[in-house]
Amino acid sequence: MAQKSIDPAVSAMLELSEQEGLETAFSRAEAMKPCPIGHIGQCCKICHMGPCRLTKPGQTGVCGATIETVTARNLARMIAAGAAAHSDHGRDLAMTLLAVADGEAPDYFIRDEGKLRSVAGYMGIAVEKRETLDIARDVATMALAEFGRQKGELMYVKRAPQKRQEIWRELGIAPRGIDREVVEIMHRTHVGNDQDYDHILMGGLRCALADGWGGSMLATDLTDILFGTPSPLETKANLGVLASDEVNLIVHGHEPTLSEMIAFATQLPEMIEYAKSKGAKGINLAGICCTANEVLMRVGVGTVGNFLSQELAVMTGAIELMVVDIQCIMEALAPLAQRYHTQLVTTSPKAKIEGATHIQFDEHRAMEIAKQIVRMACDNFPKRGQTHIPQFKSNMVAGFSHEYANYMLGGFYRGSFRPLNDAIMTGRLRGVAGIVGCNNPRSCTHDEYHDHITREFIRNDVLVVQTGCGALSSAKYGLLTPEIALREAGPGLREICETLGIPPVLHLGSCVDNTRILTVLSQMASEGGLGTDISDIPGVGIAPEWMSEKAISIGCYFVASGVYTIMGGTSPVKASPVVDEYISKVWEGRLGGKFEFIEDDDEIVARSLAHIDAKRKALGLPEYDPHRHGASGDAMMMQYLEAVEAGKPVSLYSTAGLK
Ligand code: XCC
């Protein structure tokens, strides 16, 4: 059997699934090849004269649509679906904040007043001598109005560098209302409407910007206000976080509203006593996907893994209950859970699954519902049969918000991004990279691209920031620990990590928190020394194992913000070489950021480093030289420890020359 995952816990569970004849996403991907027509955007199914398959050169659909129009419409619709998903998540958080402000959601409160005041500042809401809940009400109301805004631009456009805002205005893509941009793409891509690929795709970028600088950015801000702005904390990752003698409850999906409440409910003495009354030693909460990211970076809940681990977690037989909210939840979980004692509970009115138990979440009764779910999990514990928990888990540090980055670079009184910019200017850091997004059993061995690309970057002195399932991948292999810098980071990056005590790979949160990267890039651009716009910064964005439409929306808002963005795997517009080239070359000419799909991981690294070096050159910065910044004292210590481990006779004083 070809290696399907680099994760030993996943491999162990896949072996078990084969022995027991159980299907997984891995086996289904192998058994059913992707549709060769749809895979590259060759199929048009937006009306019922089709679907039309444009497989021959020059062929058009029944209506006359060219392959350029068809691929462009398909991509634009992916953006709209992704933007809708992220933004609707943001809307729900605004509704929760409003309910808190109106005293209708008594189990929640404002956890970060400072953030509330800064967000009010972005929105032009007065804060002086005002009650917290009054400010919160105005912030929630203004946030909700952004979805239905009919005139003008989204408020957060102003958070981008001035030059970037002007580019958007000149190109006519400054986003207006969030809902309006999504609706307009659906309208424009309806049969017989917008039939100019350039025009369709520029509209797609405007919709993506409404996600990045609108719905998702609001989701991040409102989550921080309600649940706290993250700062680093330690937790653990991989299937080994499951407990053999405790009730295992898994939160999966994306929204923090219920999972945060469940995290508190599991700590209540009455709940722990209840678990004990069922024969368990306690309650063990863990997460999957971005719900995991939300609760791990705020309350230190461990994660069992990323997207492709969801079925395998159930197959351990050790999960009493998996509660899901929205997005990235496989339908296959329901029939699989029925083969075990695991209860699958859906909670969102937007995501029901046949065969699962539905307990509708309502923020007005949040703790009551959380307790009900925790009790259900405990009730299930006596039904547990044989378990197979792979004993693999790694330490991780998570929770590097933009606010914390300011603090870590300069303390309370001198918080600033100056040291980061200086490090790039001197060449200690070659550049920065965001490695984000999903897993995809069809594009590569599970986690392999995330892992390989991340390690190559840190070896080359590129500071890596991560979100989503990419971050969870690195968590499982120990890349989110400061120690890894000693072993694998290049000398300049290692020096910085040692000085600040940070890992060379920073966990920035969930997928909506990709907007934290936008904020960081904007601050770097305005700090000085690295140009005046995001597109001047020596950096790249990569989603090496993407699979969801949300990843396409994220990729496009990064491109529109000026970032060279690389997606792994096959291009969904490959059927039109014209459109494939357009999203790279034409977009780069207009926006400074380009969108490329690259199938090979080494090529992703090579093109990224070449881009970073070209940006350094354009800024007049010294050429990157890995030997310029010497090895630190800790490097000598590492050599000494390695020699001791290898049983070599050595003294600490002689390690400097030791190979
Ligand atoms: Fe989903 Fe956010 Fe992709 Fe992971 S990274 S598979 S979208 S959970 Ni967002």
Side-chain angles (χ1 to χ4, degrees):
M1 172 178 98
Q3 193 191 9
K4 294 198 172 118
S5 174
I6 62 163
D7 179 342
V10 167
S11 301
M13 292 312 296
L14 287 177
E15 230 167 79
L16 184 77
S17 73
E18 289 210 350
Q19 283 160 17
E20 306 209 341
L22 294 170
E23 273 187 359
T24 61
F26 293 89
S27 65
R28 288 188 294 271
E30 205 166 55
M32 180 185 56
K33 295 296 164 211
C35 163
I37 294 163
H39 196 54
I40 54 171
Q42 231 165 2
C43 176
C44 181
K45 52 186 178 64
I46 62 168
C47 85
H48 209 52
M49 292 191 290
C52 294
R53 300 181 301 168
L54 278 53
T55 54
K56 298 190 187 106
Q59 198 175 17
T60 65
V62 172
C63 69
T66 62
I67 192 67
E68 281 67 48
T69 302
V70 169
T71 48
R73 282 198 299 224
N74 289 341
L75 188 67
R77 283 198 167 199
M78 289 176 94
I79 296 171
H86 281 147
S87 300
D88 213 28
H89 167 167
R91 185 199 324 263
D92 281 347
L93 283 155
M95 298 294 269
T96 303
L97 183 63
L98 187 60
V100 173
D102 288 342
E104 292 169 0
D107 301 324
Y108 298 98
F109 51 97
I110 308 295
R111 203 92 50 82
D112 192 337
E113 274 198 50
K115 181 96 185 203
L116 174 70
R117 284 167 193 272
S118 348
V119 171
Y122 299 137
M123 296 179 167
I125 294 168
V127 294
E128 287 302 310
K129 297 184 190 150
R130 293 190 70 199
E131 292 293 323
T132 302
L133 290 184
D134 288 336
I135 301 171
R137 187 176 303 103
D138 285 356
V139 165
T141 307
M142 289 275 266
L144 286 168
E146 288 295 87
F147 291 87
R149 177 188 281 279
Q150 301 301 324
K151 286 190 183 158
E153 297 168 355
L154 291 180
M155 287 179 297
Y156 280 0
V157 164
K158 292 199 192 70
R159 289 175 63 175
Q162 190 61 36
K163 203 165 157 193
R164 189 58 22 193
Q165 297 178 35
E166 282 156 19
I167 291 173
W168 293 339
R169 287 182 195 121
E170 263 166 41
L171 291 171
I173 60 168
R176 302 157 299 177
I178 298 163
D179 291 350
R180 178 176 179 183
E181 300 303 357
V182 174
V183 166
E184 190 174 301
I185 289 299
M186 296 312 286
H187 178 192
R188 279 164 73 161
T189 55
H190 185 274
V191 63
N193 209 21
D194 204 352
Q195 290 154 138
D196 171 341
Y197 72 87
D198 181 2
H199 193 241
I200 294 167
L201 287 171
M202 290 306 284
L205 288 185
R206 179 152 65 177
C207 181
L209 285 171
D211 175 359
W213 297 86
S216 280
M217 200 172 270
L218 283 168
T220 295
D221 280 351
L222 302 178
T223 305
D224 285 352
I225 290 170
L226 282 166
F227 304 110
T229 302
S231 55
L233 47 69
E234 236 188 321
T235 183
K236 300 217 181 306
N238 216 338
L239 286 163
V241 304
L242 293 173
S244 58
D245 49 6
E246 294 181 35
V247 172
N248 287 311
L249 200 167
I250 304 290
V251 287
H252 174 20
H254 280 76
E255 285 178 342
T257 29
L258 174 60
S259 50
E260 281 272 344
M261 212 41 69
I262 289 180
F264 287 112
T266 56
Q267 306 290 319
L268 295 172
E270 60 175 288
M271 289 290 127
I272 295 168
E273 278 314 306
Y274 192 70
K276 287 183 178 164
S277 76
K278 302 290 172 182
K281 282 212 170 129
I283 307 168
N284 179 44
L285 184 67
I288 298 183
C289 283
C290 280
T291 295
N293 282 316
E294 297 285 1
V295 286
L296 73 78
M297 67 177 168
R298 292 196 178 81
V299 279
V301 169
T303 173
V304 294
N306 48 13
F307 178 66
L308 284 177
S309 289
Q310 56 188 288
E311 292 170 288
L312 310 177
V314 174
M315 286 178 195
T316 62
I319 293 176
E320 275 57 54
L321 190 145
M322 184 183 283
V323 57
V324 302
D325 46 64
I326 49 162
Q327 302 167 18
C328 303
I329 302 143
M330 289 191 196
E331 188 168 345
L333 285 175
L336 181 67
Q338 280 164 5
R339 297 181 66 132
Y340 295 84
H341 76 306
T342 308
Q343 281 243 16
L344 180 67
V345 176
T346 54
T347 55
S348 168
K350 297 166 198 168
K352 284 193 174 187
I353 302 176
E354 195 187 336
T357 306
H358 189 75
I359 299 176
Q360 192 135 319
F361 180 61
D362 175 359
E363 70 257 34
H364 303 95
R365 310 185 288 117
M367 185 50 97
E368 180 192 330
I369 295 167
K371 282 188 191 171
Q372 181 189 355
I373 290 169
V374 174
R375 257 188 235 107
M376 276 171 71
C378 297
D379 289 339
N380 228 0
F381 185 78
K383 298 184 201 143
R384 190 191 279 189
Q386 211 190 348
T387 60
H388 303 272
I389 303 175
Q391 294 305 311
F392 296 98
K393 61 180 167 187
S394 300
N395 288 333
M396 68 182 290
V397 178
F400 289 88
S401 55
H402 150 256
E403 288 82 351
Y404 185 80
N406 251 309
Y407 164 75
M408 83 185 179
L409 291 167
F412 276 123
Y413 298 106
R414 281 195 216 123
S416 142
F417 270 53
R418 191 71 252 157
L420 178 61
N421 282 26
D422 285 346
I424 294 175
M425 290 165 68
T426 57
R428 250 183 204 89
L429 281 184
R430 190 171 183 171
V432 288
I435 304 178
V436 308
C438 329
N439 295 133
N440 186 336
R442 277 184 164 144
S443 51
C444 63
T445 300
H446 170 233
D447 285 345
E448 187 186 7
Y449 279 17
H450 280 302
D451 191 63
H452 177 65
I453 295 167
T454 305
R455 285 180 202 268
E456 280 301 299
F457 278 153
I458 63 172
R459 194 170 67 77
N460 279 284
D461 289 311
V462 174
L463 177 71
V464 176
V465 295
Q466 290 205 285
T467 62
C469 290
L472 298 180
S473 168
S474 290
K476 291 186 291 177
Y477 311 117
L479 294 174
L480 303 186
T481 58
E483 295 84 357
I484 202 77
L486 302 175
R487 287 188 208 101
E488 298 202 26
L493 175 59
R494 189 174 62 224
E495 187 185 336
I496 288 165
C497 292
E498 286 170 357
T499 310
L500 298 172
I502 58 166
V505 183
L506 302 179
H507 177 291
L508 259 65
S510 67
C511 294
V512 291
D513 294 332
N514 280 309
T515 58
R516 295 191 202 275
I517 303 178
L518 295 178
T519 308
V520 166
L521 291 172
S522 300
Q523 189 162 346
M524 285 171 77
S526 57
E527 187 64 50
L530 295 177
T532 51
D533 193 2
I534 292 172
S535 57
D536 298 328
I537 295 168
V540 289
I542 304 167
E545 302 182 27
W546 76 279
M547 63 85 202
S548 80
E549 292 164 313
K550 290 180 293 168
I552 290 288
S553 180
I554 293 167
C556 286
Y557 72 63
F558 269 96
V559 172
S561 302
V563 180
Y564 177 22
T565 306
I566 302 175
M567 312 292 280
T570 314
S571 165
V573 296
K574 192 177 172 185
S576 167
V578 173
V579 171
D580 218 17
E581 194 176 276
Y582 163 89
I583 58 176
S584 168
K585 296 213 171 109
V586 176
W587 275 358
E588 187 179 31
R590 288 179 194 166
L591 296 143
K594 54 184 169 176
F595 202 34
E596 289 181 350
F597 293 83
I598 302 176
E599 292 180 26
D600 179 71
D601 52 349
D602 283 323
E603 199 184 335
I604 292 176
V605 173
R607 286 213 222 168
S608 300
L609 293 178
H611 177 82
I612 285 172
D613 290 344
K615 289 289 172 189
R616 293 187 63 84
K617 197 171 175 193
L619 286 166
L621 300 179
E623 204 173 320
Y624 166 70
D625 174 3
H627 307 294
R628 193 187 178 101
H629 300 284
S632 68
D634 281 352
M636 269 163 58
M637 177 59 85
M638 282 306 290
Q639 286 178 324
Y640 169 73
L641 292 175
E642 273 164 23
V644 169
E645 260 173 42
K648 289 186 194 167
V650 65
S651 100
L652 181 55
Y653 302 105
S654 68
T655 42
L658 209 127
K659 286 272 170 293

